[in-house]
Amino acid sequence: RFAPTNAMEAALASLQQADAEGQTLYQHLAKLIIELSKQDARTAKNAVEKLSLKLRDSTYKLVVPKEVATMEREPSTVATLKQLNAIVSLLKVPPSVKLPPKREYKAPVAAEGEEEPAVPPIHYPKLPGDRPVPMQDLSGDMGLAIWAGCNIGSDNVTLLSLAMRELAVKHRLEQVRFFGKVSGTQKDYYIIECACPPEFVAEDKKRVGEEIKKAKAAKTPAAELDHSEQWGTGVNAFAYFVATDPGATVEGWTMLPRCQPVWIRTARSMRRLFTGYLEGRVGGYPHFPWGEAAYLRARIAEISHSCLVAPSGAFVK
């Protein structure tokens, strides 16, 4: 084998050196030139990089190590991917939400006699009929809560804001706000409060009327009847949605049932930690047979009615 006689032959020899896959740069450039010859001469220059990447990806195959392939099937990895997909679905704007049109940004200019330019208005997402999404500015309010020593984390604030928007749009809720977080021994509850939608109130009146008729026909004792107040009144003036994951989709939020007086009376006489499972049994004394969802709803009623602030003398005749 003879040494190259000039620079051209040296460059050609370098291009023809094969890599671990048996491919050479000479072959790659030859294929690239063939593909460029098929392009329009005026746009071929801009397509060099894309065509080169396309040829490289079609030539080389991605080899996944056995460790990575095994890790993808592990339960922890599957759960993480499921949670990430749920977060991505929250970031998508629902079809019924009307976004403001995109406008080219222009720096504000101060008018005559003004030292600083006026701040342009903020355009928030709106529902059909040019109605804004009726929800709390959670990011701004949590900034004040942090000053008071309460913080649930910036990531959770973002996820809860997206979840509140999804719930408001799907169920047409009003006065949507974050009620709070209740810690549990295994999972924590994130609670969203909203005004009872009119359709909930109408359905509830219809259901209660049917239950009263059935109870009278069956001669049910008065102690076994549902004595809870209707939606939109008293302790049931607001509805509450609960989830153990702030990034849960709409299906992951559970609406708590109407609060009944017997739940509150019994819950006041006991002290019991939450587990984080709404279907779980509540132990301890006195006996609470209605489950953790009812126990949580009773505690929410106690908190909401003991934390009201009213001007002095407002309710005095």
Side-chain angles (χ1 to χ4, degrees):
R1 184 175 180 181
F2 298 97
T5 56
N6 52 41
M8 182 62 72
E9 293 180 1
L12 185 60
S14 176
L15 293 175
Q16 291 179 343
Q17 291 181 1
D19 56 12
E21 301 291 335
Q23 301 292 329
T24 65
L25 184 57
Y26 181 86
Q27 295 173 339
H28 180 76
L29 291 175
K31 294 178 182 179
L32 180 60
I33 292 173
I34 293 174
E35 292 295 329
L36 288 173
S37 63
K38 300 176 183 179
Q39 302 289 325
D40 188 353
R42 293 170 294 180
T43 60
K45 181 179 178 181
N46 299 329
V48 173
E49 293 183 3
K50 292 183 179 180
L51 289 174
S52 179
L53 291 173
K54 184 179 179 181
L55 289 172
R56 186 198 64 181
D57 295 340
S58 62
T59 303
Y60 295 94
K61 295 182 179 180
L62 179 63
V63 179
V64 180
K66 293 183 179 180
E67 296 80 4
V68 177
T70 306
M71 185 177 63
E72 290 180 352
R73 295 191 295 269
E74 292 182 358
S76 59
T77 307
V78 174
T80 303
L81 291 175
K82 185 178 179 180
Q83 184 179 13
L84 290 174
N85 291 331
I87 294 174
V88 171
S89 65
L90 283 177
L91 293 173
K92 296 180 181 179
V93 179
S96 57
V97 173
K98 178 183 177 183
L99 292 177
K102 293 184 178 180
R103 297 185 301 175
E104 186 177 345
Y105 175 76
K106 295 181 180 180
V109 180
E112 294 184 5
E114 294 183 355
E115 297 182 357
E116 296 182 359
V119 179
I122 301 175
H123 296 275
Y124 294 98
K126 295 184 178 181
L127 292 172
D130 204 37
R131 186 170 66 91
V133 179
M135 57 177 286
Q136 171 193 17
D137 180 13
L138 186 57
S139 299
D141 292 347
M142 284 307 300
L144 299 175
I146 291 174
W147 280 37
C150 301
N151 188 13
I152 60 174
S154 57
D155 294 345
N156 290 337
V157 170
T158 303
L159 294 175
L160 284 169
S161 298
L162 295 171
M164 289 163 59
R165 184 193 67 180
E166 292 289 315
L167 287 171
V169 171
K170 182 173 182 179
H171 298 294
R172 298 181 180 179
L173 304 178
E174 298 287 345
Q175 304 178 33
V176 183
R177 73 183 188 99
F178 177 58
F179 179 81
K181 174 184 175 182
V182 175
S183 300
T185 56
Q186 300 181 41
K187 296 180 181 180
D188 299 332
Y189 289 120
Y190 294 89
I191 306 168
I192 292 178
E193 179 189 84
C194 65
C196 293
E199 54 266 27
F200 283 18
V201 177
E203 292 177 4
D204 189 59
K205 288 183 178 180
K206 183 179 179 181
R207 182 184 61 82
V208 172
E210 293 176 354
E211 290 180 356
I212 292 175
K213 290 181 181 179
K214 291 180 180 179
K216 289 182 178 180
K219 297 182 179 180
T220 305
E224 298 181 9
L225 295 176
D226 184 359
H227 297 283
S228 60
E229 296 173 298
Q230 296 183 2
W231 285 121
T233 59
V235 294
N236 295 314
F238 294 93
Y240 296 91
F241 288 85
V242 179
T244 55
D245 180 13
T249 57
V250 177
E251 292 74 18
W253 290 86
T254 303
M255 182 178 174
L256 294 178
R258 289 186 309 170
C259 188
Q260 299 189 25
V262 65
W263 298 355
I264 300 176
R265 288 197 302 267
T266 310
R268 282 178 175 176
S269 304
M270 60 189 302
R271 294 291 181 269
R272 192 72 182 176
L273 296 176
F274 292 96
T275 62
Y277 294 94
L278 293 175
E279 301 82 7
R281 185 178 65 88
V282 180
Y285 180 83
H287 181 48
F288 195 93
W290 303 282
E292 188 160 297
Y295 183 59
L296 177 62
R297 182 62 185 87
R299 290 302 186 190
I300 291 175
E302 287 189 81
I303 294 171
S304 61
H305 285 77
S306 61
C307 297
L308 295 178
V309 179
S312 177
F315 299 104
V316 177
K317 292 184 179 180

